[in-house]
Amino acid sequence: GSLIFGSELKVIHAHPDVETKLSRSGLSKYLAYEYVPAPDSIFENIHKLKPGHLLRYKDSEVTIRRYWDLPIGEEVNMSMDEASERLLVLLKKSVNRRLISDVPLGVFLSGGIDSSAIVAIMSKLRDPKDINTFSVAFSEKSFDESTHAKRVAEHFGTHHREKVLNPDDLVNMLPQVAELLDEPLGDASIIPTYALSQFTRRYVTVALGGDGGDELFAGYPTFQADVFSKYYRMIPKPLRKYLIEPLARRLPVSDNNISFDFKVKQFIKGASISDVIRHMVWMGSFSIEEQHDLLVDGPTLNVFEELYKYEEDSKMNSTGNRLLYAYKKLYLAEDILTKVDRASMWQSLEARAPFLDHELVEFVFRLPYSFKLNGMNMKHILKRAIGPLLPAGIANRPKKGFGMPVAKWIKGPINDMTCDLLDSHKIKREGYFKPGYVARLLEDHMSGKVDNRKKLWTLIMFEKWLEKWGNPTVE
């Protein structure tokens, strides 16, 4: 007869009537997605309100309804030139709305097309000398994009600041970030996002960023992989199983960011799957088969129920736009926006996302999928609309992502911590995972036999979360 609610799990956990029992379904979904999608949480009987929904509580009864959604149904009939022109108008309108502020304001600038587009539009609305741009640089060059951010800042004449992060800086932030998270989150980029937010907050209290661009315009390599996978599945299964896949496993392992062997092996892991699950296998950590090897009780049967539901809900003509619908509801809402919100608000910094203005989102979503992924060209319409405003080469740069050198760290600066967290006796005592499988993951990674960075980091963040919450019983 009561409703307990809060913006964070720790608030609910503080209530004396709340028991925290680990949800088997929540754990299985975390291992698959690297986050727990709404309406589940990591705890049994505690639920998250889904994106675009509201909850009403009256006379001891709860009703939940959706108050907004992405437009479903027909795609708009418009030429590429008309759509590009309209896109620029809406993006300018969106950025202008988000410049309203009584406090100092800046921009997260990575040097990729999304954040660079925000700076390009801002430079038309404000004197560039009054635009504060911020970026972080990494000593590990395969992860560093700072030279591109500088080029964009110099091109528009912004007041640019950069902080160089060394491994010690980021390693020292790991315990702080793990302590602040109420649920385990397997996206390692939360740590550099936290560092960038901390640096930016020294100078401003509001920052605009490019979040949402990848989910709007099909900007992840998985969309290209989806095209390749159709041809891959045409290859006879015995040829794939006994020739191609063994050859791929023998590729030399590299710890660099999005290395060739990592891309090939991750592609093969999901390519043979004939439905939308392959995208979560590419983006996430543990497939259903791998969860059978990892979990003492095995995976739950409903791991991908939200994914199927969102794909069905979109009712768009093209499979590509149905896929983008699911990405927005899952990866964008539950990973990207959660990560940015937590990392920025912990520093009392407000992050704003012009690409997620509802008018802009509604327009772009109804555009044909070929406007977004054109052949193998990702973000086609955005590049066409904003490319002429940017320095040469910025619009067509390969996507790097905002990562950090987890693979090398596990062998170096966080090796002792990793071995302690994943110690076989400890894993067996906790009772969630099979210690032999976890030990094999770590041993194969340390020897350079297999790049297990994603799996190990997902386990590390779960174990760090357990340190904070104790060892809740499994429901």
Side-chain angles (χ1 to χ4, degrees):
S2 62
L3 174 70
I4 301 166
F5 67 95
S7 60
E8 296 178 287
L9 267 174
K10 63 172 68 73
V11 177
I12 295 173
H13 184 255
H15 195 285
D17 291 344
V18 173
E19 288 185 289
T20 48
K21 295 182 178 179
L22 189 77
S23 164
R24 279 194 61 218
S25 173
L27 175 58
S28 190
K29 289 178 181 182
Y30 165 70
L31 295 169
Y33 293 96
E34 299 179 1
Y35 51 84
V36 184
D40 281 357
S41 81
I42 195 66
F43 292 120
E44 196 70 32
N45 300 320
I46 299 176
H47 304 281
K48 291 183 280 193
L49 197 58
K50 292 168 73 173
H53 285 67
L54 61 83
L55 180 149
R56 185 179 183 186
Y57 180 72
K58 185 178 181 181
D59 300 328
S60 297
E61 288 191 4
V62 167
T63 54
I64 296 174
R65 70 173 178 85
R66 184 163 55 195
Y67 64 84
W68 181 87
D69 196 10
L70 294 154
I72 58 177
E74 295 297 318
E75 295 162 357
V76 297
N77 184 14
M78 185 180 285
S79 72
M80 181 71 75
D81 287 338
E82 290 174 313
S84 299
E85 193 174 312
R86 179 66 178 153
L87 172 59
L88 277 178
V89 170
L90 288 173
L91 186 55
K92 184 176 180 180
K93 186 177 178 182
S94 174
V95 170
N96 198 35
R97 283 173 173 163
R98 282 152 188 82
L99 294 180
I100 300 170
S101 176
D102 296 324
V103 294
L105 181 146
V107 189
F108 294 145
L109 179 59
S110 68
I113 187 173
D114 298 331
S115 60
S116 300
I118 303 303
V119 174
I121 299 295
M122 280 182 71
S123 69
K124 293 181 175 297
L125 299 169
R126 285 192 173 184
D127 187 333
K129 294 193 296 293
D130 296 330
I131 300 175
N132 297 289
T133 52
F134 302 89
S135 66
V136 290
F138 296 92
S139 53
E140 172 58 53
K141 292 304 177 186
S142 71
F143 290 81
D144 186 49
E145 294 185 284
S146 60
T147 55
H148 304 294
K150 287 176 188 171
R151 278 189 63 214
V152 174
E154 288 169 3
H155 180 82
F156 292 106
T158 68
H159 187 188
H160 187 64
R161 296 180 177 91
E162 173 189 289
K163 180 177 175 62
V164 179
L165 297 173
N166 59 51
D168 289 341
D169 295 326
L170 294 168
V171 169
N172 291 337
M173 287 180 181
L174 173 56
Q176 301 170 38
V177 171
E179 177 64 27
L180 289 165
L181 283 169
D182 282 353
E183 284 190 305
L185 181 67
D187 186 343
S189 68
I190 190 171
I191 294 179
T193 303
Y194 180 80
L196 176 59
S197 298
Q198 188 179 69
F199 173 57
T200 302
R201 183 58 183 86
R202 295 181 195 171
Y203 306 96
V204 299
T205 49
V206 177
L208 278 62
D211 297 307
D214 289 321
E215 292 80 10
L216 270 184
F217 301 103
Y220 294 116
T222 49
F223 296 105
Q224 295 173 319
D226 195 65
V227 177
F228 277 121
S229 70
K230 295 171 187 175
Y231 300 106
Y232 184 76
R233 289 193 298 277
M234 293 178 184
I235 299 171
K237 190 173 180 179
L239 197 59
R240 282 183 270 148
K241 185 175 180 180
Y242 297 110
L243 179 62
I244 298 174
E245 293 174 16
L247 284 174
R249 285 194 292 270
R250 293 176 64 181
L251 285 171
V253 173
S254 169
D255 294 335
N256 289 337
N257 188 26
I258 318 180
S259 61
F260 175 73
D261 72 290
F262 176 82
K263 287 189 287 188
V264 169
K265 292 167 186 174
Q266 198 72 0
F267 170 78
I268 285 175
K269 180 179 173 181
S272 294
I273 301 171
S274 60
D275 66 17
V276 71
I277 289 178
R278 63 178 169 272
H279 281 263
M280 296 305 112
V281 171
W282 285 330
M283 298 289 279
S285 284
F286 290 91
S287 67
I288 297 297
E289 293 75 15
E290 290 165 338
Q291 287 195 35
H292 279 290
D293 294 331
L294 172 68
L295 288 167
V296 170
D297 296 322
T300 53
L301 298 175
N302 61 344
V303 172
F304 295 112
E305 59 182 330
E306 287 83 16
L307 179 60
Y308 285 126
K309 185 176 188 312
Y310 286 136
E311 189 196 26
E312 181 184 331
D313 283 352
S314 71
K315 298 183 174 65
M316 298 301 286
N317 291 338
S318 71
T319 55
N321 276 336
R322 289 199 297 273
L323 190 58
L324 283 172
Y325 183 94
Y327 265 80
K328 290 177 182 68
K329 296 287 185 173
L330 289 167
Y331 189 66
L332 175 63
E334 308 285 2
D335 184 317
I336 301 298
L337 296 182
T338 299
K339 170 192 72 179
V340 174
D341 174 75
R342 302 300 189 270
S344 59
M345 292 308 291
W346 287 329
Q347 302 296 337
S348 300
L349 177 74
E350 180 190 341
R352 298 178 179 177
F355 278 112
L356 298 180
D357 181 273
H358 74 280
E359 286 188 67
L360 178 62
V361 168
E362 288 167 359
F363 169 71
V364 173
F365 185 63
R366 292 189 65 208
L367 292 175
Y369 186 63
S370 60
F371 282 26
K372 301 153 193 175
L373 184 70
N374 188 272
M376 296 300 287
N377 184 27
M378 301 182 294
K379 298 186 176 179
H380 179 65
I381 190 170
L382 181 62
K383 292 174 181 177
R384 185 179 177 123
I386 208 74
L389 304 178
L390 303 179
I394 291 295
N396 291 300
R397 282 183 53 221
K399 184 173 179 59
K400 186 181 284 282
F402 195 41
M404 59 179 194
V406 169
K408 290 184 179 179
W409 282 13
I410 291 170
K411 298 174 183 177
I414 63 169
N415 177 252
D416 290 344
M417 181 195 76
T418 301
C419 291
D420 289 342
L421 287 171
L422 303 183
D423 174 76
S424 292
H425 297 293
K426 176 176 175 290
I427 294 295
K428 184 177 181 180
R429 187 170 62 250
E430 291 165 354
Y432 305 117
F433 307 133
K434 297 175 184 177
Y437 180 72
V438 174
R440 191 160 64 252
L441 287 176
L442 187 56
E443 182 182 334
D444 286 348
H445 184 85
M446 295 301 297
S447 67
K449 183 179 177 182
V450 184
D451 179 0
N452 284 324
R453 71 179 85 178
K454 281 175 74 67
K455 292 185 178 68
L456 290 171
W457 185 261
T458 298
L459 294 176
I460 287 167
M461 292 306 287
F462 178 77
E463 293 297 324
K464 291 297 289 183
W465 176 81
L466 272 187
E467 284 185 349
K468 172 184 174 180
W469 290 87
N471 193 9
T473 55
V474 180
E475 182 68 13

